[in-house]
């Protein structure tokens, strides 16, 4: 445990030093290829850092924050795009907005904020789910299909909401929420673009979708250019998730997760095309049932099977217990 914490300090210390370099040096270089070349060594370093961890809690968090989000932010920053512009007022803010999954809320009157009791209800349900996993072997398959996506949503929503609340106080500014009640999505486009993990589409739109669409626009009809932009975005997302799984399991990719996102990309693009060409629509309740049902079923067979095979949830629970016991031991020694 002590070795893992030493690795944590070294990895995130290296990240802070690297991002400080990006604040003082590349920001003074003209945007474009030259600034991109100046940040590329940092991007390569961020791809290596998760490999220093054994615990999946540390490797997955570092991969998500540094190898994926921070790298995309820095690449967009090289071309004067993305959430790092306008340049934060000081180094501390630049480090936070680069290394952490946060983004300044542009519209302070956003309707995404829900009453506090909703958050506490989610936290309570999450606590119940943690105990339910102990009886996973005796649960019916149909319940497991719903259990995995609900667990993923609640753990991300609860933890990221807490992180946002703390950083809002520290930074003194309103931050964008990470989720907008995804279970209320009435379409795949609504789910992926406006409700699920909002930090990712905010980066993928300028980083993948718009460049790909611009490249395809002169070569094909606008409908096909939009399709290629949408499909490529989901394909890149699939590859990124495969990379995160590799950091966690250190095994050869099975490509199931990539196929999940490819399927979502094709279906989302087809859905958008049908909406543009027809006025056919369903009631909101039926649309939600179809959308969420499709995501849950395809997610179980293509996204969560790899989690199930690797016992990832059980490993994370064991690691969390070890960390808590270690902290308790250190605190008791300190107090005595």
């Amino acid at each position: 445990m002590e070795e893992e914490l030493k690795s944590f300090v070294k990895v995130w210390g290296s990240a802070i030093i690297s991002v400080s370099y990006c604040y003082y040096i590349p920001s003074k270089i003209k945007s474009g290829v030259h600034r991109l070349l100046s940040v590329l060594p940092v991007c390569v370093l961020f791809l290596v850092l998760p490999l220093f961890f054994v615990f999946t809690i540390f490797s997955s968090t570092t991969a998500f924050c540094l190898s994926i989000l921070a790298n995309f932010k820095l690449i967009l920053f090289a071309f004067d795009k993305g959430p790092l512009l306008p340049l934060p007022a000081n180094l501390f803010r630049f480090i936070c907005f680069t290394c952490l999954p946060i983004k300044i809320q542009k519209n302070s009157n956003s309707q995404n904020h829900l009453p506090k009791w909703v958050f506490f209800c989610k936290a309570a349900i999450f606590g119940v789910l943690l105990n339910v996993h102990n009886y996973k072997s005796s649960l019916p398959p149909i319940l497991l299909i719903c259990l995995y996506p609900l667990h993923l949503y609640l753990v991300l929503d609860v933890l990221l909401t807490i992180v946002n609340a703390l950083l809002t106080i520290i930074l003194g500014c309103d931050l964008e929420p990470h989720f907008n009640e995804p279970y209320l999505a009435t379409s795949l486009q609504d789910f992926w673009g406006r409700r699920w993990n909002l930090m990712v589409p905010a980066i993928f739109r300028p980083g993948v979708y718009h460049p790909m669409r611009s490249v395809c626009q002169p070569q094909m009809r606008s409908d096909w250019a939009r399709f290629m932009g949408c499909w490529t975005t989901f394909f890149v997302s699939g590859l990124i998730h495969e990379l995160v799984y590799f950091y966690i399991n250190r095994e050869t990719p099975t490509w199931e997760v990539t196929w999940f996102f490819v399927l979502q990309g094709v279906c989302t693009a087809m859905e958008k095309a049908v909406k543009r060409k027809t006025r056919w629509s369903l009631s909101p309740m039926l649309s939600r049932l179809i959308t969420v049902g499709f995501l849950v079923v395809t997610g179980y067979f293509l996204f969560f099977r790899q989690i199930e095979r690797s016992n990832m949830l059980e490993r994370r629970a064991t690691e969390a217990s070890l960390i808590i016991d270690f902290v308790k031991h250190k605190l008791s020694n300190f107090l005595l």
Side-chain angles (χ1 to χ4, degrees):
M1 186 65 219
E2 290 190 5
E3 288 300 318
E4 197 73 0
L5 290 178
K6 287 179 182 177
S7 297
F8 183 86
V9 172
K10 290 177 182 177
V11 165
W12 282 89
S14 301
I16 290 171
I17 293 170
S18 301
V19 173
S20 301
Y21 152 78
C22 293
Y23 181 76
Y24 286 112
I25 307 299
S27 62
K28 307 299 187 292
I29 301 173
K30 185 179 178 181
S31 63
V33 176
H34 291 92
R35 188 188 292 178
L36 176 64
L37 291 174
S38 70
V39 302
L40 275 182
V42 175
C43 294
V44 173
L45 175 65
F46 284 178
L47 288 174
V48 175
L49 289 180
L51 297 174
F52 286 89
F53 293 113
V54 175
F55 278 26
T56 63
I57 290 177
F58 294 146
S59 61
S60 59
T61 302
T62 303
F64 177 65
C65 292
L66 298 182
S67 304
I68 298 172
L69 292 184
N71 272 352
F72 267 97
K73 290 176 185 178
L74 289 174
I75 291 171
L76 288 171
F77 169 68
F79 296 96
D80 275 347
K81 296 180 180 179
L84 294 181
L85 289 173
L87 192 68
N90 54 60
L91 175 61
F92 178 70
R93 282 197 167 203
F94 186 79
I95 291 172
C96 289
F97 285 115
T98 303
C99 295
L100 301 175
I102 57 173
K103 181 174 178 282
I104 291 181
Q105 190 173 44
K106 294 181 179 178
N107 180 13
S108 59
N109 296 319
S110 175
Q111 300 298 313
N112 291 345
H113 293 291
L114 291 172
K116 292 180 181 179
W117 65 265
V118 175
F119 169 77
F120 290 112
C121 286
K122 292 178 181 178
I125 296 171
F126 174 58
V128 171
L129 283 181
L130 291 177
N131 292 320
V132 169
H133 273 289
N134 296 329
Y135 307 97
K136 188 177 70 172
S137 58
S138 59
L139 295 176
I142 188 67
L143 188 57
L144 284 175
I145 290 176
C146 301
L147 190 64
Y148 282 117
L150 182 59
H151 180 101
L152 177 66
Y153 165 59
L154 289 176
V155 70
L156 290 176
D157 193 26
V158 169
L159 293 178
L160 291 174
T161 298
I162 294 172
V163 170
N164 256 23
L166 293 174
L167 289 172
T168 296
I169 296 171
I170 293 170
L171 296 173
C173 61
D174 291 329
L175 301 175
E176 290 279 358
H178 292 88
F179 296 92
N180 181 21
E181 310 311 309
Y183 47 82
L184 297 179
T186 55
S187 66
L188 293 176
Q189 183 182 6
D190 183 32
F191 179 87
W192 292 113
R194 293 184 287 271
R195 293 187 179 273
W196 181 262
N197 204 0
L198 300 177
M199 183 78 252
V200 174
I203 290 175
F204 277 10
R205 281 193 195 100
V208 181
Y209 177 78
H210 291 309
M212 188 64 188
R213 185 176 170 182
S214 298
V215 168
C216 295
Q217 195 82 44
Q219 314 297 328
M220 56 186 71
R221 287 167 39 197
S222 60
D223 287 350
W224 281 105
R226 279 193 291 266
F227 174 85
M228 289 303 299
C230 180
W231 182 85
T232 304
T233 301
F234 278 93
F235 178 66
V236 170
S237 182
L239 294 179
I240 284 172
H241 282 79
E242 294 283 3
L243 180 63
V244 173
Y245 275 136
F246 172 76
Y247 286 131
I248 294 172
N249 298 320
R250 313 292 163 88
E251 297 175 354
T252 305
T254 62
W255 306 113
E256 292 166 291
V257 179
T258 301
W259 279 113
F260 169 76
F261 281 99
V262 167
L263 176 63
Q264 300 301 318
V266 171
C267 292
T268 302
M270 290 173 61
E271 177 189 84
K272 291 166 67 177
V274 169
K275 282 182 179 179
R276 279 194 302 271
K277 295 184 186 243
T278 69
R279 294 185 177 181
W280 178 69
S281 63
L282 299 172
S283 67
M285 183 58 70
L286 185 57
S287 297
R288 287 177 183 130
L289 287 173
I290 293 173
T291 301
V292 175
F294 176 78
L295 289 163
V296 167
V297 172
T298 55
Y300 179 75
F301 289 105
L302 290 174
F303 190 90
F304 292 104
R305 281 293 178 89
Q306 196 166 345
I307 294 177
E308 192 175 32
R309 285 195 303 267
S310 63
N311 295 317
M312 194 182 301
L313 298 180
E314 290 78 3
R315 287 159 57 194
R316 290 176 75 93
T318 302
E319 292 166 3
S321 298
L322 289 172
I323 293 171
I324 292 171
D325 290 342
F326 178 81
V327 172
K328 285 181 178 178
H329 176 69
K330 290 297 181 182
L331 282 175
S332 62
N333 288 345
F334 175 76
L335 294 174
L336 293 174

